[in-house]
Amino acid sequence: ETYGIKPERPARLYILDTGIDSRHEDLPSSATNKPDKQGHGTHCAGVAAAITNNRLGVASMSPGKDWIEVYGIQVIGDVGFGTQKSIIDGIILAADQGADVISMSLGGITNQEREKTYNEAVKYANATLDAARYSPANSENVITVASVNENLAKSGFSNHLQNITLGISAPGERILSTTPGNTYTAYNGTSMSTPQVAGLIAV
């Protein structure tokens, strides 16, 4: 219970990335996955759901350790690259395992065929949820997150959101978070903005 508020149940947050170091001291005990040789997935997991008010490391949008269960699916290899198939398979696996929120800090050049495939995967993920508990969703129901700096100006490495229906911004520069081996590192990127929004949605 936090600030007199208790979640009905923990949200199931899936990080589709390079893996998660589930032994990190500042991540919820639910964090599970293969070792993260890259560190990117562990960093994203900490931004989204690091344990708040435990006198260790960093804090996240999650007000307590019982609010979010973190699950990792490795869709990006140890050298930092993934395939469309691995990402689509990860979305489907997360949906089949009951994901409430899927966070993906990744992207690549698009074309019509890729867009169609991703739209179908997102449609599948949305269809596995209880529609009665959520606002109506359509097949394009993806929230796109841009990065801003401490002055709320768009980061130079971030795309803009002018033509995105579900667009939002979050801090993405010098974001300190968990990295493998009980370490903490500051990263820059929309990869850091996205899990902040995912963590807040999970709460």
Side-chain angles (χ1 to χ4, degrees), residues 14-201:
Y14 278 70
I15 307 286
L16 274 54
D17 212 287
T18 59
I20 296 176
D21 179 3
S22 60
R23 298 164 301 175
H24 197 289
E25 63 185 4
D26 203 19
L27 290 176
S29 58
S30 62
T32 57
N33 203 21
K34 300 175 184 176
D36 180 11
K37 294 182 180 177
Q38 269 265 329
H40 191 272
T42 302
H43 196 275
C44 290
V47 173
I51 303 168
T52 303
N53 294 328
N54 64 346
R55 300 181 182 274
L56 286 174
V58 295
S60 71
M61 292 289 187
S62 179
K65 62 183 177 68
D66 299 322
W67 285 66
I68 300 176
E69 292 177 348
V70 180
Y71 300 90
I73 296 177
Q74 185 176 15
V75 300
I76 298 175
D78 294 339
V79 295
F81 294 98
T83 65
Q84 181 180 5
K85 183 182 185 309
S86 68
I87 295 166
I88 296 294
D89 288 349
I91 293 171
I92 292 169
L93 179 60
D96 287 347
Q97 292 182 359
D100 292 305
V101 180
I102 298 173
S103 182
M104 298 182 291
S105 293
L106 48 83
I109 300 296
T110 190
N111 60 40
Q112 281 189 326
E113 189 59 36
R114 285 181 180 159
E115 288 174 20
K116 182 176 184 294
T117 306
Y118 280 114
N119 282 339
E120 289 300 315
V122 172
K123 192 185 300 184
Y124 177 84
N126 283 335
T128 64
L129 302 177
D130 180 1
R133 291 175 41 229
Y134 295 85
S135 299
N138 60 39
S139 63
E140 309 300 330
N141 191 19
V142 172
I143 298 170
T144 303
V145 186
S147 171
V148 293
N149 61 25
E150 56 271 20
N151 298 317
L152 302 183
K154 185 182 77 64
S155 300
F157 52 76
S158 176
N159 292 333
H160 69 78
L161 301 170
Q162 290 175 346
N163 298 313
I164 298 294
T165 304
L166 296 176
I168 194 167
S169 299
E173 297 188 27
R174 294 177 292 282
I175 304 299
L176 187 68
S177 187
T178 52
T179 42
N182 287 334
T183 59
Y184 301 87
T185 310
Y187 286 177
N188 296 331
T190 52
S191 289
M192 285 62 256
S193 308
T194 297
Q196 290 186 59
V197 175
L200 180 59
I201 291 171

